[in-house]
Amino acid sequence: MSSSVVAGSTRAGRREWAGLAMLALPSILLSLDVTLLHLAVPHLGAALEPSSSQMLWIIDIYAFMIAGFLVTMGTLGDRIGRRKLLLTGAVAFGAASALAAYATSPEMLIAARALLGIAGATLMPSTLALITNMFHDPKQRGTALGIWAASFSVGIALGPVVGGAMLEVFWWGSVFLLAVPVMVLLLILGPILLPEHKDENAGRIDVASVLLSLAAILPIVYGIKEIAKSGVQTPSVAAVLVGAVFGYVFARRQLRLDDPMLDLSLFRSRAFSVALGMLLLAAFAIGGVYLFVAQYLQMVAGLSPLRAGLWLLPAAALLITSSMLAPVAARHIRPGNVAGIGLILSAIGYFILILTDPNNGGLAYVVVGFSFIYAGMGPIMALSISLIVGSAPAEKAGAASALQQTSSDFGVALGIAALGSVGTTVYRNGVADNLPADTPPATADATRDTLARALESTENLPGTLADQILTPAREAFASGLNTVAIINTVLVIGLTVLVVTMLRHVPPTGSAPEPAEQGPGAEPATDTAEPVAASDEQPVGANR
């Protein structure tokens, strides 16, 4: 038998734990994708020669599409079956990965990445919802959620090393082909190990809500990206306003529907809302800085992709360790304080990156600073999942999980777009007037665009002239990293104060819940729900 009954609750057996291992694969893969692409940026830039704007779209369109479609896919999974959606998404993800691997132009790669994002949006809500269905015992469910959260850290840890090794041997497109065997394995074993589950009482999906959600998210993302890149201009401001109007219409429609695509009552829980906001802003900061760190190691420090990946291993190890220790600490310390400690560690890391100077031990500052950032991200990742899922009734777990992943992916995408554009602007301003007078016009134009193009355009120049061009270019890139780090330091310090203050009512998971302030109409248990991943108590609405 795959499960047994102990003390009145159904305990998971070997089949469920094997199924959990299967569900961890998409999580590892999706976190691998981000780190792999960042390492491949210099190689991709040399092969396809994208403009700086195209490069940013290649990187962030994937996360934008995931953020835009997550809630829709979570709702669709409730209706057609979560396993069916997961397996359908696996087919689409594998096919889009092959398309991306063999892209022959920036436009083709952008389109493939967009398809990957839509397919990826089917995977995350399905995995978390299936875990909720497979593990009914509260303690086992908490352990399973912790393992699921840690799988992201494993992907981040493996990404630099696996990607670096592949880029040493194969072409840039090989990093996308990693997804194909994983998806094949999921298609073979998924029907055997994973149960099917859907909400038999769910109504039909509201197509108008789907279209309204996309009409709200995509223009806002585009507008913010353009404002960060080119300043406040009429088209970009108009895009943000159009998105906001559609967002308002979407919210009003959800309040009127008997079976809404997004249940806005979840936001009545302060713990739920604060955890979502914390995850969004922390992901915003890390999304922007990782893009610069990965490129710095290769294009400024001159490391190969494999060596760059190895230098990032200490940070990844700290991320895994802190994400596993945070739930344990939350049994004795308020979760808000544990998250606050993580945010302080991240702030220290960002401050260290401010001091990075390519002419004075820059590599050491980057490695140490990034290690502090990742050590602080572990508690944020682990506790946010616990707070978000633990604050929602079981019948709303699917919507809660979709919002959790939407917040994370949306934050990373916005960070890449906004902070990436800010850093690029600093680079261009820094390099514009510092090139030698005898720089060839084509090389000057390439150098003013991106550092990747500067490296490529100087390959055939005399060594002395190439050094005179690349030295100010590398210094300008480091200045871009410094600027992004300044923004993140201020952001994370402010976030620390907010999180510690707003989550002060959430008790340690080893103690009894305390009375909590609640929003109008909130259910009594909602705002004091304990983080599931660290709790031995029955979470709100755990009985299905």
Side-chain angles (χ1 to χ4, degrees), residues 289 293 342-356 365-376 481 485-486 488-489 492:
V289 82
V293 167
L343 289 166
I344 290 172
L345 289 174
S346 290
I348 293 172
Y350 288 121
F351 179 78
I352 292 173
L353 291 184
I354 296 174
L355 307 176
T356 301
Y365 281 97
V366 169
V367 172
V368 173
F370 201 64
S371 295
F372 269 95
I373 293 169
Y374 261 24
L481 172 61
I486 291 172
N488 284 349
T489 301
V492 172

Side-chain angles (χ1 to χ4, degrees), residues 286-310:
I286 196 69
V289 82
Y290 190 93
L291 174 66
F292 283 88
V293 167
Q295 293 183 75
Y296 184 99
L297 293 177
Q298 295 181 74
M299 295 190 294
V300 178
L303 301 178
S304 68
L306 178 57
R307 291 185 64 198
L310 291 173

Side-chain angles (χ1 to χ4, degrees), residues 46-378:
L48 300 183
E49 299 183 352
S51 66
S52 58
S53 177
Q54 287 175 325
M55 182 63 79
L56 285 175
W57 277 113
I58 288 170
I59 294 170
D60 59 36
I61 189 65
Y62 170 78
F64 287 159
M65 290 295 102
I66 283 185
F69 281 90
L70 266 172
V71 175
T72 298
M73 294 304 179
T75 303
L76 181 62
D78 288 340
R79 286 155 172 75
I80 70 171
R82 291 158 182 169
R83 186 181 69 184
K84 180 184 293 185
L85 180 67
L86 178 67
L87 299 181
T88 302
V91 173
F93 198 92
S97 296
L99 181 64
Y102 295 101
T104 56
S105 67
E107 293 81 5
M108 182 177 176
L109 183 55
I110 291 170
R113 292 278 292 166
L115 293 175
L116 275 172
I118 296 173
T122 68
L123 303 179
M124 288 300 96
S126 301
T127 56
L128 191 52
L130 283 170
I131 289 173
T132 304
N133 302 140
M134 291 161 59
F135 295 90
H136 299 282
D137 177 75
K139 186 173 182 179
Q140 287 189 323
R141 183 186 294 177
T143 301
L145 287 172
I147 293 172
W148 184 84
S151 66
F152 286 96
S153 304
V154 172
I156 292 171
L158 292 177
V161 177
V162 174
M166 293 189 68
L167 291 171
E168 288 281 328
V169 180
F170 305 109
W171 88 112
W172 63 266
S174 64
V175 298
F176 292 107
L177 294 180
L178 277 175
V180 176
V182 173
M183 293 299 105
V184 171
L185 185 63
L186 181 59
L187 288 170
I188 294 173
L189 297 181
I192 300 172
L193 298 175
L194 304 176
E196 182 58 284
H197 186 276
K198 61 181 178 180
D199 185 353
E200 300 292 347
N201 298 319
R204 298 177 61 184
I205 191 166
D206 183 44
V207 176
S209 293
V210 173
L211 297 177
L212 285 171
S213 68
L214 293 176
I217 292 173
L218 297 182
I220 290 176
V221 170
Y222 173 79
I224 292 174
K225 174 185 171 67
E226 291 302 308
I227 290 173
K229 177 184 175 184
S230 306
V232 178
Q233 298 180 357
T234 301
S236 53
V237 173
V240 173
L241 292 177
V242 167
V245 170
F246 278 113
Y248 174 78
V249 176
F250 171 79
R252 295 290 300 175
R253 183 172 181 82
Q254 302 315 295
L255 292 173
R256 292 196 305 267
L257 293 175
D258 293 331
D259 186 21
M261 190 176 98
L262 175 60
D263 190 347
L264 298 181
S265 68
L266 290 171
F267 290 93
R268 292 175 180 170
S269 164
R270 184 194 297 176
F272 181 90
S273 299
V274 173
L276 274 179
M278 174 179 70
L279 190 61
L280 173 71
L281 293 177
F284 173 89
I286 196 69
V289 82
Y290 190 93
L291 174 66
F292 283 88
V293 167
Q295 293 183 75
Y296 184 99
L297 293 177
Q298 295 181 74
M299 295 190 294
V300 178
L303 301 178
S304 68
L306 178 57
R307 291 185 64 198
L310 291 173
W311 274 108
L312 292 177
L313 271 182
L318 287 172
L319 176 64
I320 295 172
T321 301
S322 62
S323 64
M324 298 299 290
L325 291 178
V328 178
R331 296 174 186 171
H332 311 285
I333 305 172
R334 292 178 184 273
N337 293 342
V338 177
I341 292 171
L343 289 166
I344 290 172
L345 289 174
S346 290
I348 293 172
Y350 288 121
F351 179 78
I352 292 173
L353 291 184
I354 296 174
L355 307 176
T356 301
D357 181 352
N359 300 315
N360 186 22
L363 177 61
Y365 281 97
V366 169
V367 172
V368 173
F370 201 64
S371 295
F372 269 95
I373 293 169
Y374 261 24
M377 277 299 296

Side-chain angles (χ1 to χ4, degrees), residues 145 265-276 383-394 396-397 400 503 505-506 522-533 539-541:
L145 287 172
S265 68
L266 290 171
F267 290 93
R268 292 175 180 170
S269 164
R270 184 194 297 176
F272 181 90
S273 299
V274 173
L276 274 179
L383 295 180
S384 63
I385 293 173
S386 300
L387 285 167
I388 291 167
V389 176
S391 296
K396 299 178 182 178
L503 293 181
H505 66 283
V506 181
E523 297 179 5
T526 300
D527 222 28
T528 57
E530 299 177 7
V532 176
V540 176

